[in-house]
Amino acid sequence: MSVIDELIQNLPKDIVLTGDEITRPYESDGLTVFRQKPLAVILPTEISQIQQVLRICKNHNTPVVTRGAGTGLSGGATPLKDSVVLGMSKFNKIKSIDPKKKVAVVEPGVRNAAISEATKQYGLYYAPDPSSQIACTIGGNVAENSGGIHCLKYGLTVHNVESVKFLTYDGELLECSKNDKGLGLLALLNGSEGLLGIVTEVCVKLTPIPEEAKVVMASFDSVEECANAVVDIINAGVIPAGLEMMDKFAIDAAEAFAKVGYPLDSEALLLCEVDGNKNDVEEELSTVQNVLKNAKHMRVSNSESERLNLWKGRKSAFPAVGRLAPDYYCMDGTIPRRNLAQILINISELSKQYKLRVANVFHAGDGNLHPLILFDANKPDELKRTKAFGADILKMCFEMGGSVTGEHGVGLEKLDSVCHQYSHDELEVFHQIKSALDPVKILNPGKAIPELHRCAELGTMHVHNGKLPFPELERF
């Protein structure tokens, strides 16, 4: 009996999707460069159904790819050939809210923004806020260790999760918590991209809604001035709730789309938010305004609606830029803040070299870059140049002391880049961890951790002498 026949026989018919047209919406995540139709899509409503899927897929040696809302940008939820997609969208209940302990227990299909909507009545909210927060799910946030515009002060997903319940490859239900002693499995699960287990429940930390929050919008005549201002704010002793930067391309696109009042005569824009009690806000606001006194334009939000409006432009930047070309490729890498100005200059030079437009929108406070490369996927040469352009950006991030990913994960997109960042011994440890928790290798195999032979073929021993090749990613 085939794996599909056995799934249909053992599961409710309405949760098993098969056929090319029905499964087509699941053939990629937000990174549409990679597409692959799965054998089937399962939309479970109970843990026992997931356990049944795991049992059947294990017996047939069929890969299981867990999917949240499909908003990921690295191919982490893209199906593999002859795989089964496990869609967790129906696990969408907020199970409990404890205002005293400041925690909420939610299922993995709960939308990020829905937690804050439900806890607002208690004066609480969930701090990590990816730009896709109205759609992305908590299970996906845990898988990618997502951040957002407020991650500088309030941390990434890993800093805001108290415990996780998950199923192992063979269906055993386990729980790991911040209070556990030993290996620190909770931190390991955050950012594991579905390779180690299937999340079924998450206990998240809730944060009190600040008494006051204000945004300073400052614009500059050069990206270098703007980037240096980021460093100056941190050096002045202020840890902003949010510190975001946009270049002129992104400013123009966001303003045309969201119409929030961004200045169009500037080369770079900085959004700096301070929050807390009124005294702290006024003190930090004064410091920030003093640091930014030489900005071309400066404006401070005078109301909550104005604050949200200024952020609306930033959070709309991706779709705003996406309107300007048939396709765009969103990169994700991190660098030390001191190198912000230099990497933006380098990205501008690469844009000319590859003859591709690029908009820069990123979490400046923690050096997490999100260059958006515009291209036309119907032109094979443009797709090839786009991938090479993106790989060069990641190479620069690593060479400047950063990382090839910040919050989007590795997925399929950055496998070659990971080869260059980590040594053979480090990658071997990653594979050992994967083998310990998934010895049959059915949970999202081939993602996040490159095979050692792949890295050997890339010649990673040349990483320190300038001969490092970055071949384009091949469609799997």
Side-chain angles (χ1 to χ4, degrees):
M1 185 181 296
S2 71
V3 63
I4 293 179
D5 290 339
E6 196 168 345
L7 289 168
I8 292 173
Q9 179 178 307
N10 289 276
L11 295 168
K13 289 183 172 54
D14 61 340
I15 73 167
V16 182
L17 309 182
T18 59
D20 284 353
E21 292 306 312
I22 296 177
T23 60
R24 188 179 298 277
Y26 299 87
E27 68 181 2
S28 77
D29 60 8
L31 181 62
T32 57
V33 169
F34 301 108
R35 298 177 185 270
Q36 176 70 58
K37 292 189 185 69
L39 288 174
V41 176
I42 313 297
L43 303 175
T45 57
E46 301 174 6
I47 289 177
S48 61
Q49 295 167 352
I50 303 175
Q51 292 171 320
Q52 188 74 279
V53 171
L54 290 169
R55 180 188 64 79
I56 293 170
C57 288
K58 177 187 172 187
N59 290 341
H60 287 269
N61 196 30
T62 298
V64 177
V65 178
T66 309
R67 178 188 175 99
T71 59
L73 292 167
S74 64
T78 303
L80 299 164
K81 187 176 181 182
D82 298 328
S83 67
V84 167
V85 168
L86 190 65
M88 300 297 288
S89 58
K90 294 184 178 181
F91 275 73
N92 58 4
K93 297 181 182 64
I94 296 178
K95 302 179 78 171
S96 67
I97 298 171
D98 189 331
K100 291 185 178 180
K101 293 184 177 179
K102 297 184 178 63
V103 295
V105 177
V106 305
E107 292 182 333
V110 170
R111 294 180 301 109
N112 176 290
I115 299 177
S116 294
E117 292 165 4
T119 58
K120 183 178 180 180
Q121 60 183 307
Y122 305 109
L124 302 168
Y125 76 112
Y126 181 62
D129 57 344
S131 293
S132 58
Q133 69 178 142
I134 62 171
C136 67
T137 61
I138 290 300
N141 291 173
V142 170
E144 303 301 325
N145 192 22
S146 304
I149 62 175
H150 289 99
C151 64
L152 177 62
K153 183 173 182 177
Y154 294 103
L156 302 165
T157 300
V158 67
H159 305 111
N160 291 273
V161 170
E162 298 294 316
S163 65
V164 168
K165 288 184 179 179
F166 67 101
L167 291 169
T168 63
Y169 75 100
D170 57 356
E172 183 181 1
L173 184 62
L174 301 177
E175 181 175 8
C176 53
S177 164
K178 276 187 176 179
N179 299 322
D180 295 339
K181 296 179 180 179
L183 297 176
L185 285 177
L186 182 61
L188 185 64
L189 281 175
N190 281 275
S192 60
E193 303 192 34
L195 273 68
L196 305 180
I198 296 168
V199 174
T200 61
E201 184 180 286
V202 184
C203 178
V204 300
K205 180 177 76 173
L206 302 175
T207 298
I209 296 173
E211 180 182 347
E212 189 170 75
K214 288 185 177 290
V215 171
V216 180
M217 180 188 73
S219 68
F220 300 83
D221 281 326
S222 71
V223 292
E224 292 89 349
E225 286 181 273
C226 193
N228 290 334
V230 170
V231 178
D232 292 340
I233 288 171
I234 303 298
N235 287 345
V238 176
I239 304 297
L243 191 56
E244 301 284 304
M245 183 173 164
M246 302 164 65
D247 68 6
K248 182 170 178 54
F249 192 170
I251 296 168
D252 291 349
E255 179 60 23
F257 181 77
K259 297 178 172 57
V260 295
Y262 288 168
L264 299 180
D265 62 347
S266 302
E267 293 298 317
L269 181 77
L270 192 66
L271 293 172
C272 178
E273 179 168 294
V274 293
D275 67 3
N277 64 54
K278 289 187 177 181
N279 290 336
D280 287 345
V281 168
E282 290 306 314
E283 182 179 341
E284 292 189 343
L285 185 61
S286 176
T287 301
V288 170
Q289 288 177 294
N290 185 57
V291 170
L292 301 176
K293 62 186 177 184
N294 293 322
K296 183 171 187 175
H297 299 285
M298 184 162 57
R299 173 176 150 201
V300 180
S301 62
N302 291 313
S303 66
E304 180 64 4
S305 61
E306 187 177 5
R307 182 185 75 86
L308 294 175
N309 196 51
L310 289 173
W311 280 124
K312 178 184 175 183
R314 163 61 184 89
K315 289 201 167 191
S316 302
F318 285 17
V321 172
R323 299 192 310 161
L324 305 179
D327 303 280
Y328 73 81
Y329 191 22
C330 179
M331 299 305 301
D332 165 54
T334 58
I335 60 165
R337 283 187 295 266
R338 64 180 180 275
N339 292 327
L340 279 175
Q342 186 59 54
I343 199 165
L344 289 172
I345 293 170
N346 293 353
I347 288 174
S348 178
E349 290 302 313
L350 286 173
S351 176
K352 296 173 185 176
Q353 176 185 324
Y354 285 105
K355 298 179 180 178
L356 293 166
R357 294 182 296 167
V358 59
N360 287 288
V361 184
F362 54 93
H363 309 312
D366 61 348
N368 189 185
L369 306 173
H370 292 317
L372 306 175
I373 305 171
L374 276 63
F375 71 103
D376 186 346
N378 293 315
K379 300 177 181 178
D381 181 60
E382 283 202 12
L383 177 58
K384 182 178 180 180
R385 281 186 282 130
T386 297
K387 291 177 178 179
F389 187 177
D392 276 348
I393 292 174
L394 296 182
K395 178 183 176 183
M396 285 192 299
C397 288
F398 172 58
E399 291 177 343
M400 287 184 173
S403 169
V404 299
T405 184
E407 59 175 343
H408 292 177
V410 174
L412 290 166
E413 175 197 29
K414 303 186 184 84
L415 286 172
D416 289 347
S417 298
V418 169
C419 284
H420 303 302
Q421 177 163 329
Y422 294 102
S423 69
H424 178 282
D425 290 345
E426 289 168 329
L427 290 172
E428 182 65 42
V429 171
F430 294 161
H431 282 288
Q432 290 172 358
I433 293 171
K434 167 69 171 171
S435 296
L437 293 175
D438 178 22
V440 296
K441 294 181 175 60
I442 65 165
L443 299 179
N444 214 13
K447 309 278 186 67
I449 310 169
E451 295 295 333
L452 295 176
H453 67 80
R454 179 182 189 135
C455 296
E457 291 166 2
L458 291 177
T460 56
M461 293 303 292
H462 296 296
V463 70
H464 299 301
N465 64 14
K467 299 180 181 179
L468 182 62
F470 262 69
E472 64 160 321
L473 294 172
E474 297 293 335
R475 186 182 294 271
F476 56 96

